[in-house]
Amino acid sequence: MTALRAGERLVGLGTNKTLTCGVVALALIVRVWVAASGNFYWDDLILAGRAGTYSAFSPDLLLYDHDGHFMPGAFLLAKIVTAISPYNWTLPVITLVVLQALAAVAVLRLLRLILGNRPIVLAPLVFYLFSPLTLPSYSWWAAGLNSLPLQIGLAWVAGDALLLCRTGLRRHRVSGIAAFVVALLFFEKSVLIPFVAFAVVAVVYSVDGESAPLRATWRAARQLWIWSACVGAVWLATYLIVVDQPFTLASRSMAVGLLEHGISRGLLPTLIGGPWAWQRWQPSPPWADPSVLLIVLGWLGLVAAVVGSVRRKRRIVPILVAMAAYVLASEAAMVLTRSGPDTSYELGQTLRYVADSAVIIAIGAALIVRAPDRRARPHRLHRSAVVALVIAFLVSSLWSTRTFVDSWRDNPTTDYLATARASLAEHTDVPMLDMPVPTDVLLPFVYPNNLASRVFSPLPDRPQFATSTTELQSMDNKGHVVDADVSPTRAITQGPNPQCGYRVEGTTVARLPLDGPLADWEWTAQINYAASKDGELVVGLTDGKDVRVPVRQGLHQVYVRVIGSGDALRAYPITPGLSVCIAAGPVGGVLPDLPR
């Protein structure tokens, strides 16, 4: 294994131990601050809501097609976190920080396998640990549960592949396959992990002078590649069964616009610690908003790095091509899966779709450093110049991190959840009709995950959400539970019996005409009734789902959520001997009373 420098091995940190540990510790402290500054947001509520609705190993939880994502591991972890303490942000912070720490260890391990115990390891390590490129996906819990396991898998499996080629030990094959499987459970993009690992080993062979690097890579870790292919095939079959996510053929202008925003205004400024500034439109997440100067500097920095590397190093063209291919593939995946007539170009500037490129760039930089020099005695950069560049990047990145946190803190969901949690706990005695949460918390297109019954399902202290209630209450946009009324769109007309209105009894289905037709929607009917005894009615629209409604003996009101369309309500008793008189009443939407 001379081509892989078999004499190199992972040894103690030596004289670099304190500095390396300090850099990692500082990065984790910063990431703790970033995570603690956030709160539950958007998809986090979907994860928690489904965790509160379904059992831990329910297919409805683990095999859910989450907007094209197949992520059973993320849903299972969300189930555990939610079961321990629902909507307690401390636990997601812990999961994010732990995953980030594991990613830091995996990347450090791989960089030292490539470069040995050299101080230059700190340069790509600092880039990975502090790059704003990973901030948006890290700070958002749901996104972090996708991105961080992928980052761990990319670095760990590549490291195991190198160790397997160097030592031949079976444990590295087992460890690599296990890391691949775990990453696949959290994010479908993890299917790329074996390809990245193969490329890393092949490039190491190539820069070390191996004449047939691809063949050597296959032979040295054949079992790892075969088992990875088997795992990937099983996963792919499952993914195609579970997920219905057709690719979108974007228009040329849309594709060009997304790529330009994603690369020039998104990725490139992060290479020098940008973007320094962020913008957002509620309820969207922040996106990078670099100045023109920073965009130009990003391009100049990239060109200088590529030209300088090519002039100084041999056998690095495959490295540059592989890095560019990975980034462009990530951007292309964004265009194919997220573009549409309502897509904004700023989507590319959110950086979530290329966050894992931080690992690829760090690996690529290390491989370039490992590559042989073109000259026998090359002119080397002075250590102080390298240190100055690293410090400048660190300062720039920390400033971008601070401005990101300022933008990320502007989250209406934080106050809404706190208010709703307290208010729901004070109104546990009467069932509530279901309703969507405000649009700045979850938009309607995620229905039914935007319903209050789903979002607040993990909370132990809350009213039951039902299809009927004796007291009409609703939640306002701040999260307060307030009294409500039926805002009439239509009305049940006066019945033919002056003393009874519409009599509902026996086995006959009574028809309760409305004063006009209703479109297909969710409506609330105020049923004013007098019942001969306690029992149950079935109520529904002409074309719609039937609802079982409890009634009490005597004169009462009940509010019923009916779904469907038609020009009349249908009603019949299911309790033997029950007779009910129903009077006129409104049918429409629910209008909450605003708190004074």
Side-chain angles (χ1 to χ4, degrees):
M1 295 295 176
T2 56
L4 275 177
R5 299 179 185 176
E8 291 183 4
R9 57 191 179 89
L10 197 60
V11 295
L13 288 175
T15 57
N16 298 322
K17 180 178 180 180
T18 301
L19 183 57
T20 303
C21 290
V23 167
V24 173
L26 176 60
L28 292 179
I29 289 171
V30 172
R31 289 305 170 105
V32 169
W33 171 62
V34 171
S37 299
N39 209 295
F40 293 97
Y41 169 77
W42 200 260
D43 288 18
D44 300 345
L45 305 184
I46 298 177
L47 264 65
R50 297 190 72 85
T53 303
Y54 301 107
S55 61
F57 297 103
S58 167
D60 290 318
L61 178 68
L62 301 182
L63 301 183
Y64 177 63
D65 177 0
H66 180 52
D67 196 20
H69 294 306
F70 179 50
M71 42 191 279
F75 277 109
L76 182 59
L77 182 56
K79 175 69 177 182
I80 295 170
V81 168
T82 303
I84 294 173
S85 185
Y87 288 122
N88 180 350
W89 183 241
T90 300
L91 294 181
V93 169
I94 291 173
T95 62
L96 290 172
V97 173
V98 169
L99 289 172
Q100 183 64 77
L102 293 174
V105 170
V107 171
L108 174 59
R109 170 182 181 252
L110 177 58
L111 294 178
R112 292 176 62 237
L113 284 168
I114 295 172
L115 294 175
N117 187 34
R118 299 164 58 187
I120 192 62
V121 165
L122 289 175
L125 180 64
V126 166
F127 172 81
Y128 169 71
L129 292 177
F130 293 94
S131 176
L133 181 58
T134 61
L135 274 176
S137 63
Y138 166 81
S139 56
W140 184 355
W141 188 40
L145 293 182
N146 290 153
S147 181
L148 288 169
L150 169 60
Q151 294 171 36
I152 295 168
L154 286 169
W156 192 265
V157 177
D160 275 335
L162 283 173
L163 287 170
L164 180 60
C165 292
R166 292 175 183 178
T167 67
L169 295 177
R170 179 175 177 271
R171 69 170 182 266
H172 298 305
R173 181 174 72 246
V174 174
S175 174
I177 293 297
F180 178 41
V181 170
V182 171
L184 280 175
L185 293 176
F186 285 85
F187 193 18
E188 64 277 358
K189 195 176 180 180
S190 299
V191 74
L192 297 177
I193 286 174
F195 298 95
V196 172
F198 188 97
V200 169
V201 176
V203 167
V204 170
Y205 272 121
S206 177
V207 298
D208 287 355
E210 173 65 45
S211 59
L214 297 179
R215 182 184 303 171
T217 301
W218 170 257
R219 289 179 176 176
R222 179 182 304 172
Q223 291 299 313
L224 177 61
W225 312 131
I226 291 174
W227 278 102
S228 295
C230 293
V231 169
V234 172
W235 174 89
L236 181 60
T238 306
Y239 178 84
L240 293 176
I241 293 172
V242 171
V243 175
D244 181 18
Q245 177 60 60
F247 291 131
T248 301
L249 294 178
S251 64
R252 180 180 299 179
S253 60
M254 172 63 71
V256 171
L258 282 172
L259 290 174
E260 188 274 326
H261 280 252
I263 295 174
S264 290
R265 307 187 192 192
L267 175 65
L268 285 183
T270 67
L271 301 182
I272 55 175
W276 298 346
W278 308 79
Q279 293 292 334
R280 71 183 303 185
W281 300 324
Q282 291 290 358
S284 72
W287 69 79
D289 186 32
S291 64
V292 174
L293 173 61
L294 196 58
I295 295 173
V296 172
L297 289 176
W299 276 108
L300 291 176
L302 175 64
V303 172
V306 171
V307 172
S309 298
V310 171
R311 292 184 62 183
R312 293 171 57 85
K313 295 285 186 176
R314 295 184 291 126
R315 307 171 190 156
I316 67 167
V317 172
I319 303 174
L320 298 174
V321 171
M323 293 168 65
Y326 190 94
V327 172
L328 289 175
S330 298
E331 297 283 5
M334 173 191 67
V335 173
L336 289 173
T337 60
R338 293 294 182 260
S339 61
D342 298 323
T343 301
S344 170
Y345 290 148
E346 282 75 15
L347 177 70
Q349 295 166 237
T350 60
L351 305 179
R352 296 195 311 276
Y353 302 97
V354 291
D356 44 295
S357 296
V359 178
I360 302 302
I361 294 170
I363 296 172
L367 291 170
I368 290 172
V369 172
R370 182 185 177 107
D373 296 311
R374 289 191 178 277
R375 299 179 182 179
R377 300 183 63 183
H379 174 72
R380 299 186 180 277
L381 288 175
H382 196 275
R383 177 175 294 185
S384 59
V386 176
V387 171
L389 289 174
V390 170
I391 292 176
F393 173 82
L394 181 59
V395 172
S396 178
S397 296
L398 289 176
W399 178 254
S400 294
T401 302
R402 180 180 182 273
T403 55
F404 174 83
V405 167
D406 290 341
S407 178
W408 184 236
R409 279 175 172 159
D410 183 17
N411 180 8
T413 305
T414 304
D415 292 337
Y416 176 79
L417 278 180
T419 302
R421 183 169 191 165
S423 191
L424 288 170
E426 296 173 355
H427 296 81
T428 59
D429 52 338
V430 178
M432 287 183 63
L433 298 182
D434 210 352
M435 70 210 78
V437 298
T439 55
D440 59 356
V441 175
L442 280 174
L443 287 175
F445 72 80
V446 301
Y447 177 89
N449 293 308
N450 68 321
L451 295 178
S453 60
R454 184 66 59 85
V455 172
F456 299 113
S457 62
L459 297 180
D461 298 323
R462 61 171 176 81
Q464 177 187 1
F465 288 94
T467 54
S468 65
T469 181
T470 57
E471 296 182 22
L472 188 58
Q473 296 178 317
S474 185
M475 298 177 68
D476 64 15
N477 287 339
K478 300 297 184 181
H480 299 98
V481 176
V482 296
D483 293 332
D485 296 305
V486 176
S487 176
T489 301
R490 297 285 183 246
I492 302 171
T493 58
Q494 292 290 344
N497 190 328
Q499 303 300 319
C500 183
Y502 298 96
R503 186 177 297 278
V504 181
E505 60 183 358
T507 59
T508 303
V509 178
R511 188 174 187 273
L512 286 57
L514 304 176
D515 60 0
L518 287 172
D520 191 9
W521 195 248
E522 292 185 351
W523 305 101
T524 299
Q526 178 180 314
I527 306 295
N528 304 307
Y529 71 90
S532 61
K533 64 177 183 177
D534 293 350
E536 280 189 314
L537 285 177
V538 169
V539 177
L541 283 164
T542 307
D543 298 308
K545 298 179 180 179
D546 288 337
V547 178
R548 294 170 67 114
V549 182
V551 295
R552 294 177 294 161
Q553 183 178 9
L555 186 63
H556 299 285
Q557 280 181 341
V558 64
Y559 300 90
V560 183
R561 176 63 48 79
V562 289
I563 300 175
S565 61
D567 58 359
L569 290 176
R570 297 176 294 108
Y572 61 91
I574 57 175
T575 301
L578 174 63
S579 178
V580 181
C581 293
I582 298 179
V587 180
V590 176
L591 183 65
D593 294 336
L594 298 178
R596 295 175 175 83

